[in-house]
Amino acid sequence: MKKTALLIAVLLLLTPFISCKPQKLPVKDVKIIRQDGTEFTVAAEIAIKPEDRNHGFMERKTIPDGTGMLFIFERDQLLSFWMKNTPHPLSIAYIDSKGKIRNIFDMNPYSTDSIISTVSVRYALEVPQGWYKKNGITEGDTVILP
């Protein structure tokens, strides 16, 4: 009986830390300015905490056009993302600390292949696959960060 009570007490104490459902992330408008001056806005969920960045879009079956997730890191570094447990195809832009898009890659659902930035960057912006191409957004364009 004591072991059961102790186990229940430990589980109750740990529940806030082991919740399977991620917290609802804040959403901010992220502006992208193409080199020709054309502007686009993405309503991006902001992932700053490691647990939010690690979870990303996992388990999300639909991600509407014009939305995305902005991953913010503490320092410039080579970033690596994968699509484990992510059913929706995505495109990722790796962005340096000055807001310049350095790489854009497409990512396939459920793939465990690492998609690695070619240079050190501070941010990553995931959107539905093909959104960058459809809007003519390319490497060298600028992201105005919230």
Side-chain angles (χ1 to χ4, degrees):
M1 187 68 174
K2 285 184 180 181
K3 285 182 183 180
T4 303
L6 179 61
L7 179 61
I8 290 171
V10 168
L11 287 175
L12 287 173
L13 287 172
L14 291 177
T15 297
F17 303 105
I18 59 174
S19 175
C20 294
K21 235 181 173 181
Q23 297 293 327
K24 186 166 175 67
L25 298 176
V27 175
K28 302 278 184 189
D29 284 344
V30 174
K31 188 183 292 189
I32 302 173
I33 304 172
R34 289 192 329 206
Q35 294 170 59
D36 68 3
T38 306
E39 297 183 7
F40 297 88
T41 301
V42 175
E45 296 177 45
I46 307 298
I48 298 173
K49 295 189 286 188
E51 58 270 22
D52 295 332
R53 292 190 311 240
N54 290 338
H55 194 269
F57 277 131
M58 284 184 183
E59 291 103 29
R60 302 241 197 127
K61 293 181 180 165
T62 59
I63 300 162
D65 256 6
T67 67
M69 186 174 293
L70 179 67
F71 298 82
I72 300 174
F73 293 85
E74 296 79 19
R75 61 181 174 76
D76 293 348
Q77 59 191 299
L78 289 178
L79 293 180
S80 178
F81 279 64
W82 64 354
M83 294 285 286
K84 183 178 180 183
N85 298 325
T86 308
H88 195 281
L90 299 172
S91 294
I92 189 167
Y94 286 121
I95 305 158
D96 68 19
S97 58
K98 294 181 180 175
K100 182 179 274 193
I101 295 175
R102 302 302 301 267
N103 303 119
I104 296 176
F105 299 109
D106 287 339
M107 301 189 301
N108 297 318
Y110 300 109
S111 175
T112 56
D113 293 340
S114 293
I115 306 299
I116 305 167
S117 63
T118 62
V119 296
S120 289
V121 293
R122 178 81 51 101
Y123 310 97
L125 179 60
E126 290 181 341
V127 296
Q129 192 174 95
W131 187 86
Y132 292 120
K133 186 174 184 173
K134 179 174 73 175
N135 291 294
I137 295 167
T138 60
E139 294 174 6
D141 290 346
T142 302
V143 178
I144 307 300
L145 301 158

